[in-house]
Amino acid sequence: MPELVAALPARHPLAADPEVAAADLAGLPLRIATHEENPPPVKAVTAACRAAGFEPTPGPAFTNDQDTLAAIAAGRPAWTVYHAAQAAIQPAPGVAFRPFAAPAPTVPTSLAVRPHPPSRELAALLEACRGLDADNRR
């Protein structure tokens, strides 16, 4: 399952750490979609916060990448989550993406494909996904 990383202001003291413990985010507003809009990450983040001993402090809703990350970079301190792979390619000046200390929240991800033979590109993607799945079972 893909891991999530925390996105927080680059100027925040936690951004200087190589990883973030969920408990360290207690009290910082969480910008995330509503449960109705995107249940998997909301459930994963809420569970991680509860396991760390707190309920997440609701912040403004996650609207879109650009606006949410701009608000995190320039506004009052807040945080959100991203898939680690997305964070690696997401342009976000003023935002630090930090992995969570174990156990990191994860979100189950599915891939739906047509039943006919895949293209060369899709076959490569499917093979990579199978490799990730095998790594996660070890």
Side-chain angles (χ1 to χ4, degrees):
M1 281 194 258
E3 288 189 5
L4 298 177
V5 296
L8 56 148
R11 69 187 185 289
H12 193 278
L14 291 174
D17 297 336
E19 61 184 21
V20 176
D24 293 338
L25 298 167
L28 275 179
L30 171 62
R31 297 184 66 116
I32 196 163
T34 65
H35 183 269
E36 292 75 24
E37 292 172 321
N38 200 351
V42 174
K43 287 180 182 179
V45 170
T46 301
C49 292
R50 287 178 179 157
F54 72 99
E55 287 293 322
T57 302
F62 188 106
T63 52
N64 60 51
D65 289 338
Q66 184 178 11
D67 292 345
T68 298
L69 292 174
I72 287 173
R76 292 183 48 214
W79 66 288
T80 192
V81 292
Y82 269 78
H83 288 278
Q86 181 186 10
I89 61 169
Q90 181 70 47
V95 175
F97 294 102
R98 294 293 177 262
F100 283 93
T106 59
V107 176
T109 303
S110 300
L111 180 63
V113 297
R114 294 186 173 127
H116 54 66
S119 66
R120 186 178 72 234
E121 294 84 0
L122 179 56
L125 174 62
L126 293 172
E127 187 59 33
C129 290
R130 286 185 192 105
L132 289 172
D133 188 44
D135 289 344
N136 287 331
R137 290 185 197 161
R138 293 182 193 157

